[in-house]
Amino acid sequence: MKKNILSNAIPIAPLLNEIGENESDTKVITYKKARLIRISVYAVAVAFCISLIAKVLISLINLVTNISFYGNLDLRFHSPAGNHLGLWVIIIPAIGGILVGLMALYGSKAIRGHGIPEAMEQILVNESNIKPSITFLKPISSAIAIGTGGPFGAEGPIIATGGALGSTLGQLFKITSNERKIILAAGATAGMSAIFGTPIAAVFLAIELLLFEFSPRAILPVALACITGAAGHHLLFESGPVFTMPELAIPSNTALGIYSFMGIVIGFMSIGITKIVYFIEDSFEKLPIHWMWWPAIGGLAVGIIGYFAPHTLGVGYDNITGVLSGTWSIRLIAMLCFFKFLSWAIALGSGTSGGTLAPLLTIGGAAGALIGSGILLVFPDSGITIPLAALIGMSAMFAGASRAYLTSIVFALEATMQSHALLPLLGACTAAYLVSFFLMENTIMTEKIARRGVFTPDSFEPDVLQKMSVGQVISEEGIVINDKSTVSEVRNWLGNNVTDDNYLILVDDQGAYAGTIQITAVYQDKLSPDTLLKQIVKQQPAYFISTKDSLRKALETMSKTGADVLPISSAGSNRSLVGVLSYKDIVKAYQIQMDADDNTHVKISLKRQRIKMPANGKELTDVSGK
């Protein structure tokens, strides 16, 4: 520490006050654990409710479908592809679009869109606050849109509904915005788990697309919610795999290489699909009519396409199962791939209420089956199979379009229960992710909110302040003055010495920390030259920060106490004052991290001139031949 020349100054303060550090930390940890239990209970309650809502949503979609295409009241699933309406089928999706447009206009505009991007935006910019009305407007509007032939799955709406329900509950109780984010993510992913029975994939979805963190306080409530949602799926729906397919054999190394190559092709396709979807959305923005009518226009296109390709209408989970079975004809798969994409892209771009997961799975699965069929035609002994090629395409398409890498792999495994598909999925999804990462700035999930200026995190790194200690950035220079020094003495000393500091560290006669004072405070006109420093220093609560404490703890202390700088003691038994910590030092931590990330160097050189080692009492040198 730097010392001054005042007669009463103490060069180094030998001791700092300790105030029960261990007891305080224990209380904080206990409090946080109690909060975690409370948030977990909320998450499970939301998951229980959203499981029931998921059943209601599926039944409502089935009801609207049966009324629209078959004219009967039935809650059981019947594919709209089997309708006999003829040309009248073109009008049905348009009517659904009109109803959705009216609900968006007079209810809430937030019901429009994918579901997941809207939840992401509320998390990132609105402290996870979603209007409570979305809880019932989103499922009703989605049931109308999908039930009248919209080419969407139920997972997008139920994710949005679960998020809205979690956010609503979070707004009713006294919790932090981060805790509300956790409950929102728990509700959203519990909805996905309730629809598909894929709790692990749902947890990964929360990490990659909603939470943007991996910590016990976030993962535990979300995991409990996803388990509850999965239990609801097995109770209210079925207990087997959502997408059944033939048993898969262990693929050969040649087949693994081909599947990975397929991932590259699907990755390029995912980029094209994303760009086309947003091109269509931009085209709707240019229409000279009110946005309320856009879903009707999109519905009209869906109806026209559905007249020629009936399998493109509705949820289409049965289409995924058909493609994975490996029994569908190439012509049928090709028609499904092209027309499903065209119908979905137009409908989604029109701003109706729908999702992206099921359509991407359908399009990717069909594309994978087509690519696999082409490879088998040219290389019949390649060892690949159509069902696994379809599964690869399905998962790689979602990985490339959304960059939800782990979610894509685990979802395919859980939804089909085919463990032998793990390595092919890993290779293909990695390839698709690489292509997407290097060639596409935003994903199908983030492009919309990125255009609004919302930055989406793309990495989950540990907190720099949490992993760095105070001792790594501490400033060892500081002015320590006895609190009985007068204003006049300090002014004289400052007039004869140059310092970059704007503060003084005060200690009493025993060397205990007595506070921090701004240098500008010494020059106040109203102060008498004989005024003691201890008379003008603000009383501050005692605290104990050592060189081994994390910068995060130090920053939290500065924030709570309002201190501009912190006196830092050594971590030893004497706890002497060894430096001060300012905001500039905390910024230095980020500079150290950036330098470490950018600094490239060789730790082991292969160009050594001499290597010495003992052998029979002698040294072997000159191994370089010199």
Side-chain angles (χ1 to χ4, degrees):
M1 293 291 291
K2 182 193 301 181
K3 68 174 183 177
N4 61 32
I5 59 174
L6 301 181
S7 57
N8 291 330
I10 298 178
I12 298 179
L15 294 174
L16 287 179
N17 289 340
E18 180 182 2
I19 56 159
E21 172 194 15
N22 295 333
E23 180 182 355
S24 176
D25 287 348
T26 301
K27 288 182 179 179
V28 170
I29 293 173
T30 303
Y31 175 74
K32 289 183 177 179
K33 289 183 177 180
R35 298 281 302 180
L36 177 58
I37 294 174
R38 179 184 176 189
I39 299 303
S40 298
V41 171
Y42 291 159
V44 171
V46 170
F48 176 79
C49 295
I50 205 63
S51 298
L52 299 178
I53 294 175
K55 180 63 175 180
V56 172
L57 175 61
I58 295 297
S59 299
L60 192 56
I61 291 173
N62 293 340
L63 177 63
V64 176
T65 300
N66 291 323
I67 293 174
S68 302
F69 293 95
Y70 301 103
N72 57 54
L73 300 175
D74 192 349
L75 297 179
R76 293 173 298 176
F77 171 74
H78 294 91
S79 173
N83 74 86
H84 301 287
L85 295 177
L87 287 173
W88 288 106
V89 76
I90 298 175
I91 306 299
I92 301 299
I95 295 174
I98 293 174
L99 295 176
V100 171
L102 290 171
M103 291 184 66
L105 181 64
Y106 295 105
S108 175
K109 193 177 179 180
I111 66 172
R112 306 170 70 228
H114 312 200
I116 296 179
E118 288 72 21
M120 294 171 68
E121 183 176 20
Q122 297 306 312
I123 288 173
L124 293 170
V125 302
N126 197 31
E127 295 186 339
S128 303
N129 294 318
I130 299 178
K131 292 182 179 180
S133 59
I134 302 300
T135 306
F136 61 89
L137 286 177
K138 186 66 176 181
I140 294 175
S141 63
S142 299
I144 294 173
I146 300 171
T148 54
F152 307 108
E155 69 290 330
I158 200 62
I159 287 174
T161 303
L165 182 62
S167 174
T168 300
L169 181 66
Q171 294 174 65
L172 292 174
F173 295 99
K174 188 177 180 180
I175 60 177
T176 67
S177 60
N178 188 73
E179 290 170 337
R180 187 161 51 250
K181 176 190 74 172
I182 294 170
I183 300 176
L184 185 157
T189 52
M192 175 182 173
S193 184
I195 292 290
F196 291 117
T198 54
I200 302 177
V203 171
F204 281 122
L205 181 76
I207 296 171
E208 295 183 304
L209 295 181
L210 296 174
L211 290 174
F212 310 113
E213 68 171 285
F214 189 93
S215 62
R217 66 175 183 177
I219 296 303
L220 290 176
V222 168
L224 290 172
C226 291
I227 293 170
T228 304
H233 172 83
H234 295 314
L235 177 66
L236 301 174
F237 295 97
E238 65 273 341
S239 58
V242 177
F243 305 128
T244 57
M245 61 183 299
E247 281 296 321
L248 300 176
I250 300 176
S252 64
N253 289 338
T254 302
L256 284 175
I258 294 174
Y259 290 133
S260 298
F261 170 76
M262 287 178 56
I264 296 176
V265 178
I266 296 293
F268 280 104
M269 290 182 63
S270 70
I271 295 175
I273 286 174
T274 301
K275 293 186 179 298
I276 292 173
V277 165
Y278 282 100
F279 171 78
I280 294 175
E281 186 172 298
D282 293 339
S283 299
F284 271 98
E285 295 282 351
K286 298 176 183 177
L287 292 178
I289 58 175
H290 194 276
W291 58 261
M292 186 204 79
W293 299 104
W294 297 352
I297 298 174
L300 192 63
V302 169
I304 294 173
I305 296 172
Y307 174 75
F308 295 99
H311 283 286
T312 62
L313 296 170
V315 173
Y317 293 148
D318 56 326
N319 294 334
I320 298 175
T321 302
V323 171
L324 292 175
S325 69
T327 59
W328 279 23
S329 67
I330 297 299
R331 179 178 179 275
L332 180 58
I333 293 176
M335 289 184 61
L336 177 65
C337 182
F338 176 74
F339 287 113
K340 183 73 172 183
F341 163 67
L342 190 61
S343 175
W344 165 68
I346 295 174
L348 193 64
S350 70
T352 191
S353 182
T356 56
L357 180 55
L360 284 174
L361 298 179
T362 304
I363 297 165
L370 291 174
I371 296 172
S373 299
I375 293 174
L376 282 176
L377 186 63
V378 180
F379 305 103
D381 297 327
S382 60
I384 69 171
T385 63
I386 299 300
L388 184 51
L391 183 63
I392 290 298
M394 182 180 87
S395 186
M397 180 63 75
F398 187 65
S402 69
R403 289 212 280 270
Y405 173 65
L406 296 175
T407 304
S408 303
I409 297 172
V410 176
F411 177 84
L413 293 174
E414 285 189 293
T416 61
M417 297 185 181
Q418 298 288 340
S419 59
H420 289 163
L422 176 58
L423 285 180
L425 286 170
L426 187 61
C429 289
T430 301
Y433 186 95
L434 282 171
V435 171
S436 174
F437 178 78
F438 282 107
L439 300 180
M440 187 167 63
E441 183 177 358
N442 296 305
T443 70
I444 200 168
M445 301 296 182
T446 62
E447 177 67 25
K448 178 181 292 187
I449 59 178
R451 294 181 177 186
R452 300 171 185 164
V454 179
F455 170 74
T456 306
D458 59 358
S459 61
F460 312 102
E461 300 178 359
D463 185 0
V464 174
L465 301 183
Q466 184 67 42
K467 67 179 184 178
M468 292 189 68
S469 67
V470 170
Q472 292 177 267
V473 300
I474 188 176
S475 172
E476 296 182 355
E477 295 293 320
I479 304 174
V480 180
I481 297 179
N482 190 288
D483 62 352
K484 292 182 180 179
S485 300
T486 65
V487 169
S488 176
E489 290 176 316
V490 175
R491 288 175 179 176
N492 290 335
W493 186 88
L494 291 173
N496 296 323
N497 294 271
V498 178
T499 178
D500 294 330
D501 297 334
N502 59 357
Y503 54 85
L504 305 172
I505 303 296
L506 304 184
V507 292
D508 59 20
D509 291 336
Q510 286 72 41
Y513 172 68
T516 304
I517 185 172
Q518 295 285 338
I519 289 180
T520 53
V522 178
Y523 289 98
Q524 297 180 47
D525 294 335
K526 62 181 180 180
L527 291 179
S528 168
D530 296 328
T531 303
L532 302 180
L533 292 184
K534 69 178 183 179
Q535 295 177 294
I536 61 175
V537 68
K538 293 181 179 179
Q539 293 296 322
Q540 297 175 331
Y543 43 81
F544 177 81
I545 296 293
S546 76
T547 54
K548 288 189 175 181
D549 286 325
S550 69
L551 284 174
R552 181 182 179 89
K553 179 179 179 181
L555 183 61
E556 289 175 351
T557 302
M558 294 175 76
S559 177
K560 291 177 181 178
T561 60
D564 294 326
V565 294
L566 288 180
I568 306 300
S569 71
S570 64
S573 57
N574 62 344
R575 291 177 181 151
S576 59
L577 189 66
V578 296
V580 292
L581 184 76
S582 67
Y583 286 111
K584 291 181 181 179
D585 298 318
I586 294 176
V587 173
K588 189 193 303 180
Y590 289 96
Q591 184 62 51
I592 292 173
Q593 182 64 46
M594 287 188 292
D595 291 342
D597 292 339
D598 296 336
N599 183 25
T600 59
H601 56 279
V602 176
K603 296 293 290 185
I604 300 178
S605 176
L606 300 179
K607 298 181 179 180
R608 294 185 181 276
Q609 296 293 319
R610 301 165 62 88
I611 300 179
K612 296 183 179 181
M613 55 184 297
N616 298 325
K618 299 180 179 180
E619 286 186 342
L620 298 180
T621 62
D622 198 23
V623 297
S624 63
K626 296 184 178 180

